[in-house]
Amino acid sequence: MNIHFQTGSNLPSLTGSLSRKALSQGVWREEQRVVEITAKKGSHWATHGHTHSDRLLLLPEEALFLMECGSLEVQAAGLPLSLQQAYHTLLSESDLIHYQVYSCLKRLGYIVHKVVLSPGRKSESEPTLEGECIKTVSCCPLCTLPRPPPEAHQLLEVYQPKPGFQKSSPGPPAFRVMAARPKDHFPGVSLLGWLEKLRPTAPLKFCIVDSNSTAYYSIATSQIPTLSNKQHSTASHSVS
């Protein structure tokens, strides 16, 4: 797995002037694909992590971002991971473009939640733990929505920071982002329609990731009238 969008010269070191006592500590749980926090430091926990069975857990993207910020040390098999090791351990190759978009939005100051749309299941975020799911979509009645179409996708829900923000009840996002490479297929109409029902008030953006470059496109539903006496109108999705 080759990683191109970060270089070592741009990354903060977790050693040297930083004391381990000043860092939050976590342990990588391979089977569950989460980082369990064993020592919590700092103020960033208002927007990072989920509590499950009295354990504070981070998704891989959250843990890696906090490592890049010099706020977290993660151990695997009893040894601390270097940042380069963390990329290979915490992320799969298919996760890389999603992490690139996630980290970029985080650095712009947004609060970002990851949601996984898996075939055959209602919308639930990773990870699945002991038969239960941690849901980042907590302000939407998911049980009333149809199951997603049979395409597996990752979706980022993006929030503007505000006083009193609660990660357990974040409210509707400012916008949502799907990431893809230039060669990937564009989302089908069934998936776009499902996403519109899921968050009718949150704009959907499509991010094309090409090496170190990203480009965002807005996706919106428009009504195109038919030129007939019946004056029907047809819904279609437009990209700008």
Side-chain angles (χ1 to χ4, degrees):
M1 179 171 62
N2 295 321
I3 299 172
H4 302 290
F5 58 87
Q6 293 282 4
T7 60
S9 59
N10 295 328
L11 300 175
S13 171
L14 298 185
T15 59
S17 60
L18 281 176
S19 168
R20 289 188 63 189
K21 294 182 180 180
L23 300 177
S24 297
Q25 300 291 321
V27 178
W28 172 241
R29 305 300 187 191
E30 175 66 34
E31 292 183 359
Q32 300 167 344
R33 297 200 59 77
V34 294
V35 171
E36 181 179 351
I37 298 302
T38 57
K40 185 173 69 171
K41 305 288 179 66
S43 60
H44 39 261
W45 302 104
T47 57
H48 294 84
H50 296 83
T51 301
H52 180 84
S53 300
D54 297 324
R55 296 184 299 161
L56 179 59
L57 307 174
L58 293 175
L59 297 177
E61 291 83 359
E62 295 177 301
L64 187 55
F65 181 77
L66 291 178
M67 289 184 70
E68 288 186 351
C69 294
S71 301
L72 175 68
E73 180 179 80
V74 176
Q75 295 201 8
L79 296 174
L81 293 173
S82 69
L83 197 52
Q84 191 70 14
Q85 288 171 331
Y87 272 107
H88 290 273
T89 302
L90 274 59
L91 300 181
S92 66
E93 188 168 358
S94 62
D95 290 331
L96 288 175
I97 62 166
H98 300 282
Y99 179 71
Q100 184 173 353
V101 178
Y102 173 91
S103 62
C104 177
L105 291 168
K106 291 288 291 182
R107 287 186 173 83
L108 290 174
Y110 290 101
I111 298 168
V112 185
H113 286 177
K114 172 185 171 184
V115 178
V116 175
L117 309 178
S118 300
R121 299 173 62 188
K122 291 183 173 64
S123 175
E124 296 167 333
S125 77
E126 290 185 327
T128 300
L129 302 172
E130 301 172 5
E132 300 179 13
C133 291
I134 299 173
K135 298 181 180 179
T136 57
V137 184
S138 56
C139 55
C140 182
L142 293 177
C143 58
T144 66
L145 292 171
R147 295 182 185 274
E151 307 110 311
H153 287 276
Q154 293 186 28
L155 180 71
L156 298 178
E157 298 201 325
V158 185
Y159 302 83
Q160 293 184 354
K162 60 182 179 180
F165 179 86
Q166 295 183 3
K167 59 187 178 185
S168 59
S169 300
F175 58 93
R176 301 164 297 163
V177 178
M178 296 186 71
R181 297 180 177 89
K183 64 181 180 180
D184 293 340
H185 293 293
F186 193 79
V189 172
S190 59
L191 178 58
L192 292 175
W194 189 89
L195 290 170
E196 186 178 6
K197 292 179 181 178
L198 179 65
R199 296 290 199 194
T201 61
L204 180 62
K205 299 183 183 296
F206 199 61
C207 181
I208 303 296
V209 181
D210 188 5
S211 187
N212 294 328
S213 301
T214 56
Y216 289 84
Y217 297 88
S218 295
I219 300 177
T221 300
S222 60
Q223 298 290 332
I224 301 178
T226 57
L227 301 178
S228 67
N229 293 332
K230 295 182 179 180
Q231 294 297 311
H232 291 307
S233 63
T234 303
S236 65
H237 290 90
S238 61
V239 180
S240 60

